[in-house]
Amino acid sequence: MSFRSDPLAELVVPDGTTVEEHAIVTDSDVIIGTQSTIALGVRGRNVVAGEQVTFEGDIEANSDCRLDMWCTVDGNVLVGENAYIGERVEIDGQLVVAGDLDIGDDVEISEGFDANGWIVIRNPVPTLMFLFTYLTHLLHLGEEEMAEDVLSEVFEGHDDQPVVIPKNATVGDDAWRVSTPARVGEGCRLHGNLRAESIAVGEDSELFGSLRARESITVERGTTIHGDVTTRGGSVEIAAEAHVRGDIACEQLRLHEGAVVEGAMRARGEMTIVQERGRPSERSGESDRDVSKPTGEPVDGANGDEPAQPAGERAESDESKGSFTSLE
């Protein structure tokens, strides 16, 4: 795991993350910022939550679980190794810990707890508050390598990207809402509309919901979006072989040949179709070429018209669906 800024300043969904049976499922760690609401269960390696985080499902941590003060879990907490439970945490279910249990005052566990190791009753230091205050101090001093070493040690030396949910986020089957940028990795399968400052979705993912951002949105090759893609003032780029089962509305649109858009495509500014070169049937050495038209004019081939013919060569027709029009 590597970072160069606030590690909670972005929603990060790493490669292969899925939502299954109302739970976020990943092979990586899960880090959740303070005052967030997770209307799902969580299954991961290490699960770390800041203060006043609400879980509306079970927590299953293969390794350690750390819940800071005033967290609420509407379900069971199952921990494969050690658990650190802060004061005034409420668990509306059972707490089962395979290793040691470090628990604070005034913790309420509706169905009791079971720990195979040592049980220590005290008030553990709030994990996220201490960890990220220390890391931020190291970054301000320019000690980036030391900060990375500390973070790697906390998460047992794992270098893969954890799931990161920033503070004040809301995550559920209906919507994922954050006030930060959002980055979804490759091979993910998520449910819910995604709302963020900007959005980037990796290859071969599937999102059952719409994308909406204040800034840019990018959708990589092989990804399917089951909804609209909308930005207030940013650009949208849809890669080849991506599939949008809804409308697109943005400031500028860049659509790669081979992308499929089932709805209408509208932009206030420039719309561009990127024609892919370098296929086996094409001459070698040719680079990608943009075909663009001013606002208000349909791009050649976008509505089934015969594409324009450049000097000495016929342009490839666009494979996308929908129409190009200007926003009212």
Side-chain angles (χ1 to χ4, degrees):
M1 178 177 177
S2 177
F3 64 92
R4 290 293 185 270
S5 59
D6 183 358
L8 289 177
E10 183 181 29
L11 170 66
V12 179
V13 182
D15 298 348
T17 301
T18 61
V19 173
E20 303 174 6
E21 299 177 351
H22 304 290
I24 301 172
V25 181
T26 179
D27 293 330
S28 303
D29 301 324
V30 180
I31 304 175
I32 303 170
T34 59
Q35 298 179 336
S36 292
T37 298
I38 313 300
L40 298 165
V42 174
R43 300 180 207 163
R45 186 169 53 215
N46 293 291
V47 178
V48 180
E51 297 179 4
Q52 298 181 359
V53 174
T54 299
F55 296 88
E56 298 180 7
D58 296 338
I59 297 176
E60 298 181 26
N62 294 330
S63 294
D64 293 350
C65 178
R66 299 171 181 263
L67 303 179
D68 279 350
M69 297 181 293
W70 298 297
C71 283
T72 301
V73 181
D74 187 14
N76 301 314
V77 178
L78 310 177
V79 184
E81 294 184 7
N82 304 320
Y84 304 81
I85 310 298
E87 59 182 318
R88 296 184 177 87
V89 168
E90 297 181 8
I91 300 175
D92 189 18
Q94 189 177 18
L95 172 64
V96 179
V97 182
D100 299 335
L101 172 61
D102 201 339
I103 192 169
D105 294 333
D106 299 324
V107 173
E108 296 183 8
I109 305 173
S110 298
E111 299 182 12
F113 66 89
D114 182 17
N116 291 332
W118 291 96
I119 299 176
V120 180
I121 301 176
R122 59 179 179 180
N123 292 326
V125 177
T127 305
L128 285 186
M129 180 183 296
F130 173 78
L131 176 61
F132 292 120
T133 299
Y134 181 49
L135 293 176
T136 301
H137 179 68
L138 291 177
L139 291 173
H140 287 164
L141 295 177
E143 298 290 345
E144 295 179 351
E145 292 185 2
M146 183 180 295
E148 290 180 2
D149 291 341
V150 170
L151 200 60
S152 297
E153 183 176 349
V154 170
F155 293 105
E156 301 180 357
H158 298 297
D159 293 329
D160 52 336
Q161 174 67 58
V163 174
V164 178
I165 299 176
K167 63 181 181 180
N168 299 316
T170 300
V171 175
D173 278 333
D174 295 333
W176 296 48
R177 293 186 176 92
V178 298
S179 59
T180 65
R183 177 161 49 92
V184 179
E186 300 178 1
C188 296
R189 182 182 174 89
L190 306 180
H191 294 264
N193 302 315
L194 181 54
R195 306 288 184 258
E197 181 178 348
S198 63
I199 300 173
V201 184
E203 296 183 0
D204 301 319
S205 292
E206 190 167 14
L207 276 69
F208 293 88
S210 61
L211 306 181
R212 181 179 298 174
R214 291 191 296 270
E215 299 178 3
S216 64
I217 297 177
T218 59
V219 178
E220 296 295 340
R221 184 184 298 268
T223 288
T224 300
I225 307 298
H226 295 266
D228 298 335
V229 177
T230 307
T231 69
R232 289 184 180 179
S235 61
V236 170
E237 181 165 1
I238 309 297
E241 301 178 18
H243 194 161
V244 177
R245 296 182 178 272
D247 299 337
I248 297 177
C250 58
E251 187 70 26
Q252 295 181 334
L253 174 61
R254 185 177 173 87
L255 186 72
H256 289 250
E257 181 188 27
V260 176
V261 180
E262 295 188 3
M265 295 174 280
R266 302 181 177 89
R268 297 183 181 89
E270 186 180 64
M271 302 180 184
T272 303
I273 297 179
V274 180
Q275 294 188 328
E276 302 292 335
R277 299 299 189 189
R279 294 181 178 181
S281 60
E282 298 293 330
R283 296 193 302 269
S284 61
E286 289 183 317
S287 59
D288 293 353
R289 184 166 59 84
D290 292 351
V291 178
S292 59
K293 286 287 186 179
T295 301
E297 297 184 27
V299 176
D300 293 335
N303 293 314
D305 299 330
E306 186 70 12
Q309 295 185 6
E313 183 181 6
R314 179 185 180 88
E316 294 182 351
S317 62
D318 169 48
E319 297 178 11
S320 65
K321 300 179 181 179
S323 60
F324 284 87
T325 58
S326 299
L327 284 172
E328 295 293 332

